[in-house]
Amino acid sequence: MGDLPADLRALIGGERDLVANCANTAALLWHRLPRLNWVGFYFLCDGELVLGPFQGKPACTRIALGRGVCGTAALRQTTIIVPDVSQFPGHIACDQASRSECVIPLLASGRLIGVLDLDSPDLARFDAETVKVAEAIATIVADGSLLR
Ligand code: SME
């Protein structure tokens, strides 16, 4: 996986546009993290999560806070790791191939602006090292970006 946080910082450079940075981040993670079938962002808009830049199959557009893994991570403002999505009550199956999932809240100055969602076709894909890197990535994106 290499030094993904360092590579993302270099990729973002001085760019402050959230959508542009999330688009490049999704592409970077897609090409560098093996065994993913979906990776991307949802942004908090008017009290619900709305689909942002991603890689993978088309996904559900809107997720209410508290719904699914994404809405739960957003509501609790904490990372959620689901080793087996079939065991997560209310999991939203956008892609039937997903077997495990990790969702990380994007916090800008302590304020929730969205989530980073990673899905894998393998059970228990998201080990501690991968989650740590993904959290560092989410911090870089949230800290360095301004909403439109
Ligand atoms: N599985 C997610 C929905 C988003 S897709 O995985 C892209 C959830 O339960 O919130």
Side-chain angles (χ1 to χ4, degrees), residues 38 42 59-60 63 67-71 90-94 98 101 117 119:
W38 201 91
Y42 281 88
C60 36
I63 299 174
R67 295 287 309 279
V69 187
C70 290
H91 169 257
I92 302 164
C94 292
S98 297
E101 181 161 359
D117 181 17
D119 288 54

Side-chain angles (χ1 to χ4, degrees), residues 97-140:
S98 297
R99 304 286 300 282
S100 61
E101 181 161 359
C102 173
V103 180
I104 299 155
L106 292 181
L107 298 169
S109 306
R111 189 171 60 92
L112 181 78
I113 59 170
V115 299
L116 168 60
D117 181 17
L118 301 103
D119 288 54
S120 174
D122 296 347
L123 287 171
R125 160 68 181 87
F126 300 103
D127 53 82
E129 191 200 353
T130 305
V131 173
K132 199 174 150 193
V133 168
E135 287 181 332
I137 296 292
T139 300
I140 292 167

Side-chain angles (χ1 to χ4, degrees), residues 2 12 18 22 35 38 44 48 52 99-100 105 113 119 126 147:
I12 287 178
L18 181 65
C22 286
R35 300 189 289 134
W38 201 91
L44 183 65
E48 63 183 346
R99 304 286 300 282
S100 61
I113 59 170
D119 288 54
F126 300 103
L147 286 169

Side-chain angles (χ1 to χ4, degrees), residues 1-51:
M1 129 170 97
D3 192 343
L4 267 174
D7 293 345
L8 179 62
R9 275 191 210 95
L11 185 61
I12 287 178
E15 180 55 60
R16 303 273 286 162
D17 185 276
L18 181 65
V19 174
N21 289 340
C22 286
N24 263 337
T25 302
L28 183 73
L29 293 177
W30 180 254
H31 286 286
R32 292 278 291 280
L33 287 180
R35 300 189 289 134
L36 297 183
N37 62 301
W38 201 91
V39 57
F41 294 87
Y42 281 88
F43 298 131
L44 183 65
C45 291
D46 298 329
E48 63 183 346
L49 295 173
V50 181
L51 185 64

